[in-house]
Amino acid sequence: MVMGMAFLATVILWVRYKNNHSGYIWTLLHLMFFSVAVYFLLQAISFDYEHPMASEENSLQIGIAGVVWAVSMICFMIGIYSFQKRSANS
């Protein structure tokens, strides 16, 4: 719910201030990748522990969540840099 509101607020700000497309694109990519990371983490938490390879499955899900989270943080840093670079030129 909160991620949806953040996504919506980003789109509204992008429509209102049309001056920095790349910063908003990177921010939206961050939100999407972060949502995917949370999905994989929730899958790991709710996995059936009676499964014969539950530990391996959980480790894989948590590892995927970590990698996707790292990609989302890279997108976030690029977005912040894009906004900072734009404001320095103004």
Side-chain angles (χ1 to χ4, degrees), residues 3-36:
M3 192 64 70
M5 291 186 325
F7 190 85
L8 184 63
T10 303
V11 170
I12 290 170
L13 287 172
W14 188 4
V15 169
R16 181 176 282 176
Y17 305 107
K18 299 176 184 176
N19 55 355
N20 191 0
H21 296 291
S22 66
Y24 290 110
I25 290 171
W26 284 110
T27 303
L28 291 174
L29 282 173
H30 158 68
L31 292 171
M32 288 190 300
F33 280 123
F34 189 74
S35 297
V36 171

Side-chain angles (χ1 to χ4, degrees), residues 33-86:
F33 280 123
F34 189 74
S35 297
V36 171
V38 169
Y39 171 77
F40 279 113
L41 187 61
L42 290 175
Q43 290 295 334
I45 291 172
S46 64
F47 194 76
D48 180 22
Y49 64 89
E50 302 267 337
H51 190 271
M53 293 187 63
S55 176
E56 290 83 358
E57 290 287 336
N58 283 343
S59 295
L60 178 64
Q61 295 288 332
I62 292 170
I64 291 171
V67 169
V68 175
W69 174 79
V71 170
S72 81
M73 290 295 113
I74 290 169
C75 291
F76 187 57
M77 289 187 302
I78 293 171
I80 289 173
Y81 177 75
S82 295
F83 284 123
Q84 184 269 336
K85 187 172 74 170
R86 175 69 179 163

